[in-house]
Amino acid sequence: MTDNNLYTLFESRFPADLTQIAFEGPEVPTVSFGDLQDKSAQMANLLTSLGAVAGDRVAVQTGKSVEAVILYLACLRAGLVYLPLNTAYKAAEIEYFLGDATPAIVVCDPASITEIEAIAKKCGVRQVLSLDETGRGSLTEKADQQDSSLETVARTGDDLAAILYTSGTTGRSKGAMLTHDNLASNARTLHQHWGFTEGDVLLHALPIFHVHGLFVALHCAFLNGSKVILLRKFDPAVIIANLPKSTVFMGVPTFYVRLLAEAAFTKDVCRNMRLFTAGSAPLLEETFNAFRERTGHVILERYGMTEAGMITSNPYDGERKAGTVGFPLDNEVRIADEEGNVLADGEIGILEIKGPNVFKGYWQMPEKTASEFRPDGFFITGDMTRKGEDGYYRIVGRSKDLIISGGYNVYPKEIESFIDEMPGVEESAVVGRPHPDFGEAVVAFVVTDGSVSNLKEEDVIAFIKEKLANFKVPKQVYIVEDLPRNTMGKVQKNQLRDRAVADQD
Ligand code: MLC
Ligand code: AMP
């Protein structure tokens, strides 16, 4: 069998001198490419010795560390399916993912091991290991005892490499199944398209449980055999201190807004930089312009999603236009109406895509998968798009009811269902409102049923905060008499959005 294991591709691009540095950073150990090979082999051997066999899922909810990256590589090498989970997820959210994905092994932060063990037991998970953000825990302790030689398990291109959960419009999260070929094709495309070159150093501040930080950023560095300065989290001061040692930086728009708020963020700090990219949410034209004025660099905006990796990108060499996401990468794209009729250039419709980067389907949801693909294999992204006369694509809205806050997706339906269960609540509606830092902020409108006297904004916030990830917690809650509806009885979310915006103004 030809080996299409993604790790084999990475390894083929490692530098000949394996003592070269793969990862370093102010809070992480310095790790060479040789160390990556040895330690990922040890971890893969550990996972296998614990009974995990090719195709099994390994769910991971840990802080960002080099060891967590090595765990990802180990899963690839052992033919296991990597399933990263946002560190903000709370117990009820985790229980859903473990119940749905039925992983063989779960790796979590030592601080939450008791809670996770209880959930894991309920979900039939065989093993729970720990790993903290400094790289310590039972995972690394046990892996250190293992043999550091390993033959990477051969995989076909169609075998699963990872499952990433994305929230759904119905409120139920769906596990997007990504194959070794999906990830390899997108990695090759981006590496080439963005002109990666010898000597590049990637400054990495994104979380590594989503497509952007895990695949887009790290895969480019692996394919380039490049050093990564790995930061545990985004902190503008730490970014500014490390930019002079870097050539590439990738961020969500909030990163750029926050950098621009720092007086110490200057042209000089960016003197060695080759490329800044932005995505996961729309980059405001004012941020794009302010960044160019301050640094002389033009941010390259690209567009993508969990189900397909990167779909379009502004050019590396040509003009990068504000408010656009550039041109299609190595996938076919078309703009269609709700029924799938392809529209003429210039018209606004839903972007549909087909290509080697497009995922295999949603984990154990054949009907949901079928409903999001056209019969000729195009995937319906749900993003309202227009192709301009200049050929550049512009994401102008979303046909899906989705809020993107600081680069994280929040589906109103999930929050509404949750609020509706709160004692004293009759019904609720959740909308997004522009936010200077997060791009969009979650705002909730709540109608009470009178059974709880004097239900207040802070009660609703406290109720949500206890059970849902922090980025889903509304920044503001309005207690209202009723929700505006049209004659069909549908809640008029536009009116609520207008009210939230007017109030803010
Ligand atoms: C944190 N908070 C958020 C939030 N992040 N609220 C809304 N939206 C967010 N994104 C909460 C905190 O819990 C806290 O609440 C309060 O807001 C202020 O927190 P903070 O200290 O300012 O947040 P910070 O830890 O600095 O995190 C902000 C951030 C982070 C922007 C660094 O959200 C982040 O790393 N975002 C990147 C997301 C990402 O990687 N997306 C890629 C998806 S892949 P309280 O109540 O505790 O005070 C994808 C495909 C593609 O979309 O195209 O790339
Ligand atoms: P996710 O499901 O987390 O992968 O988020 C994917 C969604 O993020 C896409 O469907 C878009 O709605 C949005 N997105 C990603 N990049 C951009 C961008 N550059 N501009 C506008 N929206 C974007």
Side-chain angles (χ1 to χ4, degrees):
M1 175 168 107
T2 333
D3 182 17
N4 287 311
N5 192 310
L6 179 65
Y7 178 81
T8 309
L9 170 65
F10 295 156
E11 205 178 49
S12 71
R13 306 289 193 94
F14 284 0
D17 173 7
L18 289 173
T19 64
Q20 281 191 31
I21 295 171
F23 288 96
E24 67 176 24
E27 297 166 308
V28 305
T30 299
V31 167
S32 69
F33 283 92
D35 295 334
L36 277 191
Q37 276 181 333
D38 293 348
K39 288 183 181 296
S40 63
Q42 287 183 307
M43 251 187 229
N45 283 330
L46 171 66
L47 299 172
T48 308
S49 75
L50 293 174
V53 295
D56 278 352
R57 279 76 55 211
V58 176
V60 180
Q61 191 196 30
T62 60
K64 189 175 170 185
S65 65
V66 180
E67 291 75 9
V69 176
I70 293 171
L71 174 58
Y72 165 53
L73 297 178
C75 289
L76 293 176
R77 295 191 74 176
L80 302 169
V81 181
Y82 190 67
L83 196 170
L85 293 167
N86 194 319
T87 47
Y89 289 146
K90 301 266 169 64
E93 292 161 310
I94 298 292
E95 185 166 339
Y96 170 77
F97 298 121
L98 300 193
D100 192 55
T102 57
I105 297 175
V106 175
V107 181
C108 69
D109 194 279
S112 55
I113 194 141
T114 313
E115 191 178 57
I116 299 289
E117 270 175 346
I119 300 171
K121 200 168 167 199
K122 251 200 238 176
C123 301
V125 176
R126 293 196 295 272
Q127 297 281 343
V128 180
L129 297 166
S130 64
L131 177 69
D132 71 13
E133 61 177 4
T134 69
R136 280 192 282 267
S138 60
L139 174 79
T140 42
E141 271 161 34
K142 290 183 183 192
D144 285 346
Q145 315 300 318
Q146 296 283 327
D147 192 351
S148 62
S149 59
L150 168 84
E151 198 169 327
T152 294
V153 174
R155 298 275 79 193
T156 70
D158 200 41
D159 283 326
L160 295 194
I163 295 179
L164 268 70
Y165 275 84
T166 74
S167 307
T169 38
T170 53
R172 239 192 112 195
S173 283
K174 305 161 288 181
M177 298 188 287
L178 296 155
T179 67
H180 285 262
D181 267 3
N182 289 150
L183 301 178
S185 73
N186 212 233
R188 282 197 170 96
T189 298
L190 298 178
H191 177 260
Q192 196 245 333
H193 193 82
W194 293 342
F196 272 82
T197 180
E198 208 183 329
D200 267 335
V201 176
L202 174 75
L203 181 57
H204 192 297
L206 287 156
I208 53 169
F209 41 71
H210 276 310
V211 166
H212 198 163
L214 182 63
F215 300 149
V216 181
L218 287 180
H219 289 183
C220 281
F222 287 141
L223 286 203
N224 208 50
S226 273
K227 178 161 87 182
V228 177
I229 300 178
L230 197 80
L231 305 178
R232 265 197 218 146
K233 61 183 186 60
F234 176 82
D235 175 340
V238 183
I239 300 290
I240 291 166
N242 284 280
L243 274 171
K245 294 183 268 182
S246 314
T247 65
V248 180
F249 180 76
M250 302 185 187
V252 294
T254 301
F255 284 13
Y256 292 109
V257 170
R258 290 188 181 184
L259 279 172
L260 285 165
E262 302 290 319
F265 181 62
T266 60
K267 197 172 191 155
D268 183 53
V269 162
C270 305
R271 62 188 175 274
N272 293 320
M273 289 298 291
R274 177 176 73 73
L275 179 65
F276 288 94
T277 71
S280 307
L283 180 73
L284 291 181
E285 208 161 328
E286 67 189 69
T287 312
F288 177 96
N289 290 333
F291 197 88
R292 179 162 52 189
E293 242 166 67
R294 178 85 68 90
T295 66
H297 284 273
V298 182
I299 298 175
L300 181 155
E301 184 172 4
R302 92 302 178 280
Y303 151 79
M305 65 194 306
T306 303
E307 289 89 338
M310 298 302 98
I311 299 164
T312 72
S313 171
N314 266 281
Y316 180 66
D317 287 322
E319 187 186 357
R320 299 173 197 167
K321 287 194 183 177
T324 83
V325 292
F327 306 104
L329 290 162
D330 284 346
N331 44 198
E332 289 176 70
V333 308
R334 66 189 185 197
I335 293 169
D337 65 14
E338 294 275 354
E339 280 74 47
N341 304 304
V342 178
L343 303 175
D345 282 359
E347 288 193 61
I348 293 175
I350 302 168
L351 192 76
E352 298 186 355
I353 57 171
K354 187 178 181 178
N357 51 321
V358 179
F359 75 134
K360 198 171 167 167
Y362 295 113
W363 172 255
Q364 289 181 335
M365 289 188 179
E367 280 158 26
K368 187 76 198 152
T369 303
S371 71
E372 300 208 6
F373 279 88
R374 297 286 174 205
D376 61 357
F378 274 77
F379 173 67
I380 307 160
T381 64
D383 288 309
M384 304 300 293
T385 310
R386 183 169 66 81
K387 181 181 177 186
E389 278 173 17
D390 53 7
Y392 286 71
Y393 284 71
R394 290 161 171 84
I395 308 296
V396 298
R398 297 169 203 130
S399 67
K400 47 198 175 191
D401 191 12
L402 162 70
I403 299 165
I404 303 186
S405 174
Y408 289 137
N409 290 5
V410 181
Y411 278 88
K413 178 77 189 154
E414 184 191 358
I415 323 277
E416 289 160 3
S417 309
F418 189 75
I419 299 176
D420 292 351
E421 281 174 21
M422 185 179 177
V425 171
E426 168 92 29
E427 59 172 350
S428 63
V430 167
V431 297
R433 171 172 77 192
H435 188 279
D437 182 31
F438 293 125
E440 275 184 290
V442 176
V443 175
F445 289 81
V446 175
V447 180
T448 56
D449 64 11
S451 65
V452 172
S453 71
N454 202 18
L455 192 73
K456 292 194 289 299
E457 173 178 23
E458 45 280 27
D459 303 327
V460 179
I461 289 181
F463 180 78
I464 302 172
K465 217 171 190 168
E466 200 189 313
K467 292 274 166 55
L468 297 184
N470 56 24
F471 61 90
K472 298 178 188 171
V473 178
K475 301 289 180 214
Q476 190 169 3
V477 175
Y478 293 88
I479 306 291
V480 292
E481 290 285 307
D482 50 26
L483 298 174
R485 292 183 189 277
N486 65 14
T487 47
M488 308 292 289
K490 194 168 182 280
V491 175
Q492 304 282 78
K493 286 203 167 178
N494 279 347
Q495 286 188 24
L496 295 175
R497 220 168 277 128
D498 291 348
R499 175 169 166 197
V501 171
D503 209 36
Q504 186 181 28
D505 291 344

